[in-house]
Amino acid sequence: MRTITLMALTTLTLLGAAFAASGTTTPATPASTPATTVAGPMLTAGQTVNVNTAPLADLEKVPGLGVKLATAILQARPYKNQADLVKKVKGIGKMNIKKFGPFLTY
């Protein structure tokens, strides 16, 4: 058992050294670069999207909304207000609506 553990540690050490020597690194994202999604850059403060008319790509740009929630929003349209959205869409609650609520209009 001790031999197997020692061999495993040696292998991991060698793999780590080989990876480090390869020069492969993950570049840091500059702080000035806006967050992006597949659909494009995320919305920033003051920007809004109408949940009753926006296509999926626009809903995906709302911070805190992923593809799953954006798709659920599309499928449960129309909405009268924020309370109606929370009521109709499973996965949207009082806590996470605080994150993306300011980016939505009805």
Side-chain angles (χ1 to χ4, degrees):
M1 181 70 173
R2 188 174 187 188
T3 303
I4 293 171
T5 304
L6 184 58
M7 286 178 16
L9 282 173
T10 304
T11 302
L12 289 173
T13 302
L14 291 173
L15 286 174
F19 181 75
S22 71
T24 305
T25 60
T26 304
T29 303
S32 62
T33 303
T36 60
T37 65
V38 174
M42 299 292 276
L43 296 179
T44 58
Q47 294 179 315
T48 60
V49 66
N50 187 303
V51 295
N52 290 307
T53 60
L56 180 63
D58 288 351
L59 288 172
E60 288 178 26
K61 294 177 185 180
V62 175
L65 273 184
V67 175
K68 187 175 179 179
L69 281 179
T71 302
I73 288 171
L74 289 177
Q75 293 173 345
R77 285 177 175 169
Y79 306 99
K80 298 174 196 162
N81 52 38
Q82 191 176 73
D84 195 28
L85 176 72
V86 171
K87 180 181 174 184
K88 288 183 175 181
V89 181
K90 183 179 179 181
I92 297 180
K94 293 178 182 176
M95 293 305 291
N96 62 356
I97 195 72
K98 290 179 183 179
K99 285 188 265 183
F100 52 78
F103 298 96
L104 305 177
T105 59
Y106 302 87

